[in-house]
Amino acid sequence: MKVRLFFLKTSWLVIIAGGLLGGCYYDNEETLYGITTCDSTFVSTFNTDVLPMLEKYCNGCHAGSSPSGDISLDTYSNVSNYVSNGSLMGSIRHDPGFKAMPEGRGKLSACDIKKIQSWIDAGAANN
Ligand code: HEC
């Protein structure tokens, strides 16, 4: 009986350890995925890459009826205004002279910033 209990406990440990290891593998895959999509040949599109990122990191403040700073980033035409005047990248890159965004939170990852930049470099199309 004692032996059986021991085995039972051991197998639980294995399952738990497996779960943890599995978690690590998942993280690694995510990192790798980030690297591959951030290579110099990757070009983002507005609807697939840029808008979802803005929705996630910015539009808690920059959408709706009274957006922060009176700046809406919820549609292509709204976003293009801030691409043209340079404040979108200026604020995301924390360039001097621009308000650092997202306000009160950490800077976006280098990978995410690069994704937005690649879309702008390719002409900032409504794609
Ligand atoms: C917690 C709310 C909040 C979040 C999240 C946020 N912003 Fe802002 N943003 C503001 C406020 C408030 C201002 C106006 C600041 C001011 O004028 O003092 C502003 C201003 C700006 C400006 C004008 C900056 C300038 O110097 O002209 C841009 C562009 C901008 N935000 C883009 C973004 C982007 C892109 C994101 C996401 C990566 C983002 N914001 C996330 C609140 C936020």
Side-chain angles (χ1 to χ4, degrees), residues 18-107:
L20 289 175
L21 276 176
C24 286
Y25 270 113
Y26 181 72
D27 285 350
N28 284 343
E29 267 169 28
E30 257 196 346
T31 311
L32 282 173
Y33 178 77
I35 289 166
T36 40
T37 53
C38 268
D39 69 24
S40 54
T41 57
F42 184 79
V43 177
S44 298
T45 58
F46 182 73
N47 289 300
T48 312
D49 307 293
V50 178
L51 189 58
M53 237 185 281
L54 298 177
E55 293 291 350
K56 184 173 173 189
Y57 297 112
C58 318
N59 287 352
C61 299
H62 291 294
S65 51
S66 54
S68 293
D70 218 14
I71 292 168
S72 285
L73 298 173
D74 54 350
T75 63
Y76 173 75
S77 69
N78 284 336
V79 174
S80 6
N81 294 330
Y82 305 102
V83 172
S84 324
N85 74 11
S87 64
L88 184 76
M89 286 319 290
S91 65
I92 289 175
R93 281 194 310 242
H94 296 188
D95 287 350
F98 296 97
K99 305 277 177 188
M101 292 291 140
E103 192 186 63
R105 298 176 198 174
K107 198 175 177 179

